[in-house]
Amino acid sequence: MYDMKNLEKLPTLAKESEKTMKAFWAFDQAALADGAIPKKYKELMAIAVALTTQCPYCLEIHKDAAIAAGATQEELAEVAMISAALRAGAAVVHGTHLMK
């Protein structure tokens, strides 16, 4: 199901929903641009989110963007561990809903 070639269909999606896609791309670019938080850190955050949502497209896109922004293998590894900790932590604290 997941094939990076699916991204080649984005122009078709954009054509069928032009106004919305233009707005989405503008928002996406603005959100990930350098600002108070540098682009590299924003891309590392995007990877953390992609790891927890398990979106292979986002992982590939944001991994490449993070590396282009200067992220190191060590930083990528730490992002993976942070994501794992938060995902596991969420399971633990949601476990409180099971307790009397």
Side-chain angles (χ1 to χ4, degrees):
M1 177 169 193
Y2 293 107
D3 183 344
M4 292 305 286
K5 288 185 179 184
N6 283 327
L7 297 181
E8 294 171 8
K9 298 175 187 175
L10 283 173
T12 302
L13 184 60
K15 179 181 169 222
E16 299 299 331
S17 187
E18 186 175 351
K19 184 178 177 182
T20 306
M21 282 297 283
K22 281 183 180 179
F24 169 75
W25 288 125
F27 173 70
D28 186 68
Q29 289 174 351
L32 290 164
D34 266 322
I37 300 171
K39 181 164 180 58
K40 178 175 97 168
Y41 299 139
K42 289 181 177 187
E43 291 297 346
L44 290 169
M45 286 189 272
I47 291 169
V49 171
L51 285 166
T52 58
T53 61
Q54 298 182 331
C55 175
Y57 301 111
C58 294
L59 284 171
E60 189 67 25
I61 291 165
H62 293 290
K63 176 195 68 157
D64 291 346
I67 291 168
T72 65
Q73 289 291 294
E74 185 178 20
E75 289 170 322
L76 295 172
E78 285 190 22
V79 164
M81 294 302 108
I82 292 165
S83 300
L86 284 224
R87 195 160 172 140
V92 170
V93 296
H94 275 86
T96 62
H97 294 260
L98 304 173
M99 302 296 106
K100 288 186 180 183

